[in-house]
Amino acid sequence: MFTKIKNASVTLAQKIAAAKVAPTEAQARTALFIAGVSLLALGLSADVVAQSGFTNTNYNDQKIANAVNAIMTYLEGSFGALIMAASGVGAIMSAAFGQYKAALSLMVVAVGSFILRSLIGTFFNDTMIQD
C-alpha cells in the first residue's frame, strides 16, 4: 500500500516537474484559465462584499447620484428635446433615403431620450436619484 502511494506521488511530482519545465499547449491553457478565473474571483470579490458588513468599507454613492441627476436634468430639459427632435428628423430623412437601419437607430435614440428616467427606475436602484 505504501509503495502505491509512493509511486503515485513520484509520478505526480514527475508530471508537475515536466509541466513546469516544458508545458504542453493544453497544460499552459489550463494554467492560464485557472490564473484568469482566480484573478477575476479575487478582483470582483471586493465589489461583491462592499456593503455586506464583512469589511469596514463605507460606500457613499451620493456623488454618483448627483452626477446622474444632473445628466437626467439635462436630458429631460431643453437639451433632451433637442436630441429628440434632431434624431426624429434624422430618422425621417434616413427612412426617406432608404437607410432603414439608421432610421430605426435614430428612433431608438429619440424614444430613449424621452423615457430614460423610467428605464433607469425600472432596471436600477434609483432611490438616491431625485425626481
Side-chain angles (χ1 to χ4, degrees):
M1 177 160 166
F2 290 115
T3 49
K4 285 184 178 181
I5 295 173
K6 181 181 176 184
N7 290 338
S9 65
V10 167
T11 304
L12 181 64
Q14 288 174 346
K15 287 183 179 182
I16 291 173
K20 184 178 177 184
V21 173
T24 63
E25 185 178 344
Q27 290 170 339
R29 192 179 307 132
T30 303
L32 289 173
F33 177 75
I34 291 171
V37 167
S38 301
L39 284 174
L40 278 174
L42 290 174
L44 294 175
S45 65
D47 293 332
V48 170
V49 297
Q51 293 179 336
S52 65
F54 294 120
T55 62
N56 293 331
T57 306
N58 287 332
Y59 183 72
N60 184 8
D61 61 348
Q62 188 63 39
K63 291 182 180 179
I64 296 171
N66 290 339
V68 170
N69 190 32
I71 292 171
M72 295 303 295
T73 302
Y74 288 130
L75 283 177
E76 290 175 345
S78 58
F79 183 68
L82 176 68
I83 290 175
M84 190 171 181
S87 59
V89 170
I92 292 169
M93 290 177 57
S94 295
F97 290 121
Q99 297 176 344
Y100 297 111
K101 288 182 182 180
L104 184 62
S105 299
L106 287 169
M107 285 306 298
V108 167
V109 170
V111 173
S113 65
F114 182 66
I115 62 167
L116 187 61
R117 187 174 292 271
S118 299
L119 290 174
I120 289 175
T122 301
F123 294 112
F124 302 105
N125 181 12
D126 66 341
T127 57
M128 296 292 292
I129 301 172
Q130 301 166 358
D131 284 334

